[in-house]
Amino acid sequence: MNPKYVVAASREEDDISNHHAPTEKEKKRVFCGWRFGIIGGSLSVFVVLVLNLSFTLWTHSQRGFTNKRGILHEGHCDEIRRLNVAAHVMINIFSTVILASSNYCMQCLSAPTRAEIDKAHARGVWLDVGIPSMRNLRRISGKRALLWSVLGLSSLPLHLFYNSVIFSSIATNNYVTFTVNSAFVDATSIDDVDIPASIKPVAVGLHEAARNGSKSLQPLNNSACIQAYAHDFLSDRSNLLLIASDANSTSTPAVFSTTTTRDISTGCGSAAYSWICAEPYYSCNDPCQSHLSEVLADAEHWHPYHAESEVASEVKYCLSQKTPEHCKLQFSLQIVIVVIVINTLKLVLMVYVVFGLKETPLMTVGDAVASFLNKQDPTTRGCCLVSKFDIKVNKLRWQYRDGESNAPVAKEWLPTKVRWARAVSRTRWWSCGLMISLAVTVCSVLLCWGLFVIMGPKDLGTLWRLGVGAVDVRTLIDWELKTLVANVLVANLAQPILSLIYFIYNGVFTCMLAEREWNQFGQKRGGLRITSIPSGSQRSSYFLQLPYRFAIPIMLLSGLLHWLVSQSLFLVAVETWDQGKRLDRESWSQESERTTTSPDWLTCGYSPMAIIFVIILAVFMMVLGIGIGMKRYGSGIPVGGSCSVVLSAACHVEDEKIESSKMASKPLQWGCVPSGGSDGVGHCAFSDATVTFPQQSVLYAGKS
């Protein structure tokens, strides 16, 4: 082997092989470059863990747990709805922070060391440098590959459960509606009035409250009354007196009709308040909700329909019983324990990577160039124009061995400005497109199914009024899944897929930006960006290949996508109250004529508008990636800044007077350098001296 290739390894590599007391420089190394980046990620994961633990302990001490659930807040449903949205925004921020930190650490773990690259090159295999890589896992140390796998797999259950740690429950009131005359309100007693025995106590209570002018009964005009009770889940009102006109003008108290509103059927909107309409709109295809505008337009002549009455009476005004709202923001102990365990596991693994791993992987293009200049790789001698396409597509045999006939031949320089998309492998592009297309397809199928089963109007205005992530009886799913865990698993089934999309999408941009950094060395001179302690013109960097101006927007897009999906298919919990008391299972089972199996519902609901937004955002992300991939690189350097062979081949300094190990700390540019060959074949390499652009149709290779 040529003596000029026998160069001492870099100081960092010496540190690995020699077991001596840590120097000050070694101690500083922990707090610079990629290790400092993982420390920052570990601190972020630690903060999330502390918040998760603190929140759990606070809930346990202040609220307690019943059936492994804690109540964070109980009160007005609008307030609970706002708190639930805010809680899920925070949860998705936390999960995105954990996901991004984990992804950063995984990229560091998959990065090869110089020794691993040398070993691979000796076998004719190239490795990825500066990008997330699964193909490297077979060539790196088993310990790092195992850590990478555990970090990746632990993201799946985290995102499967995290969004359902906090969920809201809706309170719905059973109520009785009485249509009465004015004499009913003024009568001293209604003992002689013909009222079914099962609801007679309710009527007596309403009569006493109305006669005494109790504030618990709120007078409402017809329009306000209709709007107050036209809800599938009535949480702030209960029993109702409809004061109707009496055709006989009698002074005797009378109850013309009664209606008991109890159970709500999933999928059939407005069944709970179909009594409001003057016709029997009980059909799911023609619900009362579709006719509310007509009823409100003629509210002064309101004739509500009652099954028990033969003639609908015209209502003059209403007396509505106000009740406290009992909507709740709840906290699942089972789920948060799973999240805390995974959160802790990720933190421990990341801390171990910082302080437990003694290897020094090549994280960036600058790390690799510095290493190959410090210790040149003989296997890539004579390949200065080799590109990633030559190796992957043309299957070029690039290994150089003295005296062997397979040594690379000189190559003609053909300048081409390739698109950014060419820096990304077809496998990565296909994976990204397939995963996003799968997400869009699943959402589209779910949207079509949801629109098919929704009863009544399905225009865009109606879907918009359903809201994003809002509970509506028309969008509840009627299935046999009744447990919390089962519904949580279904509601969050898409979250791990989104995490995988983030990993792949992040990788696509990392490949394009790594190639951009490499390509700039063919256009202008600059210092190497390294993740170890810099010297001279070198720059230290905490990010790997994806600059923050790209990394942060991708994180935000991923977080927004996670949140929108959490609002597309979500957990729904409903609690039933009857006459001011929450119904328990025992009292529920003792009553007859029930259409549901429990006073508490646990199911899933969906939001058509949220699904539409998910589809739009997913398509936008794909178009954005393709659009940026249409940009072109300069033509001054071979393509392949993430390929270890291309990086190595560009770092062969042929002039024996130049000490390449000192060159790495200076501003560098890749180009045509003076060659001592007599055969007219030029040579291109990194140099701190003046270089020229390669000339078209000129042959270049290493000095022969």
Side-chain angles (χ1 to χ4, degrees), residues 66-332:
T66 303
N67 295 326
K68 298 179 181 179
R69 296 189 209 170
I71 299 174
L72 300 176
H73 187 65
E74 181 176 352
H76 295 288
C77 293
D78 288 340
E79 180 186 11
I80 295 298
R81 193 175 298 112
R82 289 192 297 269
L83 289 174
N84 188 47
V85 170
H88 280 85
V89 168
M90 292 304 301
I91 286 173
N92 281 279
I93 290 174
F94 292 161
S95 64
T96 301
V97 167
I98 295 175
L99 181 65
S101 301
S102 183
N103 180 56
Y104 183 98
C105 191
M106 288 170 66
Q107 184 173 338
C108 293
L109 287 169
S110 67
T113 64
R114 176 57 192 275
E116 290 162 348
I117 290 178
D118 288 343
K119 186 177 180 180
H121 284 189
R123 296 178 177 179
V125 178
W126 59 275
L127 299 181
D128 288 316
V129 176
I131 62 174
S133 175
M134 291 185 66
R135 71 184 304 275
N136 284 0
L137 297 180
R138 294 177 296 173
R139 305 291 176 179
I140 64 176
S141 70
K143 180 192 295 184
R144 300 209 317 278
L146 177 62
L147 290 170
W148 185 96
S149 301
V150 175
L151 273 173
L153 292 174
S154 61
S155 296
L156 301 181
L158 178 71
H159 290 88
L160 192 59
F161 289 102
Y162 208 168
N163 264 290
S164 294
V165 166
I166 295 177
F167 60 95
S168 62
S169 63
I170 301 172
T172 182
N173 289 323
N174 293 339
Y175 63 94
V176 184
T177 304
F178 299 90
T179 305
V180 301
N181 60 3
S182 300
F184 179 91
V185 176
D186 300 326
T188 305
S189 173
I190 60 169
D191 293 340
D192 297 330
V193 178
D194 185 20
I195 303 174
S198 61
I199 57 174
K200 186 68 175 277
V202 178
V204 171
L206 290 174
H207 168 259
E208 292 178 355
R211 188 167 179 270
N212 297 329
S214 172
K215 294 182 179 180
S216 63
L217 288 182
Q218 181 183 14
L220 297 173
N221 61 36
N222 289 355
S223 179
C225 187
I226 294 168
Q227 294 180 34
Y229 279 82
H231 297 283
D232 296 314
F233 302 101
L234 192 66
S235 58
D236 61 340
R237 297 179 184 274
S238 183
N239 305 307
L240 179 67
L241 289 178
L242 301 175
I243 315 302
S245 58
D246 188 348
N248 298 323
S249 301
T250 179
S251 59
T252 303
V255 174
F256 301 134
S257 60
T258 63
T259 296
T260 301
T261 302
R262 286 183 172 176
D263 306 326
I264 303 169
S265 301
T266 57
C268 193
S270 73
Y273 57 87
S274 54
W275 58 267
I276 289 177
C277 296
E279 297 293 337
Y281 295 112
Y282 285 112
S283 169
C284 285
N285 293 319
D286 189 22
C288 177
Q289 184 186 48
S290 303
H291 301 271
L292 279 179
S293 58
E294 303 168 19
V295 176
L296 285 168
D298 193 27
E300 293 183 2
H301 304 94
W302 180 27
H303 295 268
Y305 170 82
H306 295 280
E308 291 90 348
S309 64
E310 296 181 359
V311 180
S313 304
E314 183 175 297
V315 176
K316 296 191 294 184
Y317 67 96
C318 304
L319 290 176
S320 172
Q321 187 177 44
K322 291 285 291 179
T323 61
E325 294 186 63
H326 297 285
C327 288
K328 298 172 183 175
L329 192 66
Q330 299 196 55
F331 187 75
S332 172

Side-chain angles (χ1 to χ4, degrees), residues 408-440:
V409 297
K411 181 181 178 181
E412 182 180 344
W413 171 254
L414 298 173
T416 54
K417 292 185 177 182
V418 302
R419 298 189 186 277
W420 283 30
R422 293 290 300 276
V424 185
S425 68
R426 291 181 181 178
T427 301
R428 202 181 293 267
W429 271 121
W430 275 107
S431 299
C432 184
L434 182 64
M435 293 305 299
I436 294 180
S437 299
L438 177 63
V440 171

